[in-house]
């Protein structure tokens, strides 16, 4: 299956993507995680991306699309993938459509995770991610690690993302509403969108997501 996850920052896309990818046996491709890996490896791409990310803005399309394309072309993504955080504007959605078309492929579903603003703000404020891999995500009160400050998955150090500050979160929410939300209508016109409530326990949201994907098949 080829799936896109969309939703405001903090809706739980990364959390759900990890679980769905495991159940569906497809790779979880998060452009945010790819940028953070580039930042920790101090690559040129990482240096460029960091300035945009820290300000809560989108990284320019040209580099983002090239990075996502490169990842989607890896052998493990041949049979499908779960995109988390990409596309994030209509131009990226169009670029993805073109890419899929040239490979004679198409998306199966776009899962829209809905959560109220006050909830996503609380989730982001308490989010802690692992230094080794930002796909290992916890929350200080909602989904705490077994040992404070230590990743349950790999033992890495947990930290608060630089862009999870209150000020940057406001900017990221604004960017979500103005630039990312329009892709929901773009995909609705292709009949691909399944909207699910992203509130309640993590397991419950996963159940809703799998249910919605089954309906779409
Ligand atoms: P996104 O990838 O959409 O930005 P994350 O998956 O990183 O969101 O989740 C944001 C924060 O909310 C994390 O700290 C995560 O542990 C927590 N979280 C995710 N899903 C839930 C949920 N259903 N209930 C409570 N907290 C959640
Ligand atoms: P995320 O990990 O999805 O919350 O993304 C963190 C930050 O990475 C975003 O605020 C953007 O600055 C950048 N980013 C991630 N994905 C994209 C994308 N598809 N297009 C542009 N910027 C992105």
């Amino acid at each position: 299956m080829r799936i896109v996850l969309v939703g405001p920052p903090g809706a739980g896309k990364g959390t759900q993507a990890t679980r769905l990818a495991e159940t569906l046996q497809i790779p979880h491709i998060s452009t945010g995680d790819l940028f953070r890996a580039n930042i920790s490896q101090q690559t040129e791409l990482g240096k460029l991306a960091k300035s945009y990310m820290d300000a809560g803005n989108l990284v320019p399309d040209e580099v983002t699309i090239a990075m996502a394309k490169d990842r989607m072309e890896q052998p493990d993504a041949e049979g499908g993938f779960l995109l988390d955080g990409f596309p994030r504007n209509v131009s990226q959605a169009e670029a993805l459509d073109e890419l899929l078309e040239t490979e004679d492929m198409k998306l199966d579903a776009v899962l829209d995770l809905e959560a109220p603003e006050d909830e996503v703000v609380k989730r982001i404020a308490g989010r802690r991610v692992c230094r080794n891999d930002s796909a290992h995500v916890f929350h200080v009160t909602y989904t705490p690690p077994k040992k404070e400050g230590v990743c349950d998955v790999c033992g890495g150090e947990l930290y608060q993302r630089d862009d999870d500050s209150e000020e940057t979160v406001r900017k990221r929410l604004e960017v979500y509403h103005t630039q990312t939300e329009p892709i929901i209508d773009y995909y609705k016109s292709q009949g691909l969108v399944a909207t699910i409530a992203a509130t309640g326990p993590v397991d419950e949201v996963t159940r809703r997501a799998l249910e919605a994907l089954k309906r779409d098949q």
Side-chain angles (χ1 to χ4, degrees):
M1 283 189 102
R2 292 180 183 82
I3 302 163
V4 167
L5 276 187
V6 64
K13 298 182 296 297
T15 302
Q16 294 303 325
T18 303
R19 297 161 148 252
L20 296 172
E22 203 179 310
T23 305
L24 302 169
Q25 290 288 296
I26 46 176
H28 165 201
I29 300 180
S30 154
T31 41
D33 289 343
L34 291 172
F35 283 133
R36 280 183 289 276
N38 272 278
I39 291 171
S40 61
Q41 288 154 18
Q42 300 183 341
T43 67
E44 285 306 311
L45 174 61
K47 282 178 208 156
L48 172 89
K50 187 166 169 47
S51 56
Y52 292 95
M53 291 168 77
D54 285 353
N57 286 315
L58 296 186
V59 179
D61 284 346
E62 201 185 321
V63 290
T64 303
I65 292 165
M67 178 182 74
K69 178 173 183 285
D70 184 62
R71 179 63 189 88
M72 283 184 275
E73 285 173 352
Q74 299 299 311
D76 66 334
E78 252 172 46
F81 47 70
L82 181 56
L83 294 177
D84 158 15
F86 181 87
R88 239 179 170 98
N89 60 28
V90 172
S91 330
Q92 293 181 11
E94 286 169 350
L96 175 62
D97 273 352
E98 276 168 36
L99 175 70
L100 292 171
E101 225 170 86
T102 57
E103 305 282 332
D104 213 15
M105 293 170 180
K106 57 178 194 54
L107 288 177
D108 295 289
V110 174
L111 268 186
D112 169 24
L113 299 188
E114 250 184 9
E117 201 132 311
D118 59 338
E119 177 65 18
V120 302
V121 168
K122 279 191 249 170
R123 287 185 184 181
I124 291 174
R127 170 160 57 190
R128 298 293 181 270
V129 302
C130 177
R131 287 240 180 250
N132 296 338
D133 185 341
S134 62
H136 304 163
V137 185
F138 301 86
H139 188 283
V140 287
T141 46
Y142 299 149
T143 54
K146 290 194 184 81
K147 186 163 177 232
E148 198 187 319
V150 180
C151 177
D152 284 357
V153 184
C154 71
E157 182 203 353
L158 299 181
Y159 76 105
Q160 182 162 29
R161 281 169 42 176
D162 290 344
D163 62 346
D164 278 351
S165 68
E166 207 183 309
E167 196 192 336
T168 312
V169 167
R170 263 197 297 274
K171 175 68 184 168
R172 286 161 62 207
L173 283 166
E174 179 200 315
V175 167
Y176 176 74
H177 292 308
T178 55
Q179 301 189 48
T180 307
E181 256 177 359
I183 74 170
I184 298 175
D185 279 338
Y186 176 87
Y187 285 127
K188 271 189 182 159
S189 71
Q190 300 182 15
L192 286 172
V193 178
T195 301
I196 61 162
T199 42
V202 172
D203 282 349
E204 178 62 25
V205 180
T206 310
R207 197 193 55 72
R208 283 181 210 134
L210 288 170
E211 196 55 38
L213 291 174
K214 233 189 277 167
R215 265 201 310 270
D216 268 20
Q217 268 184 331

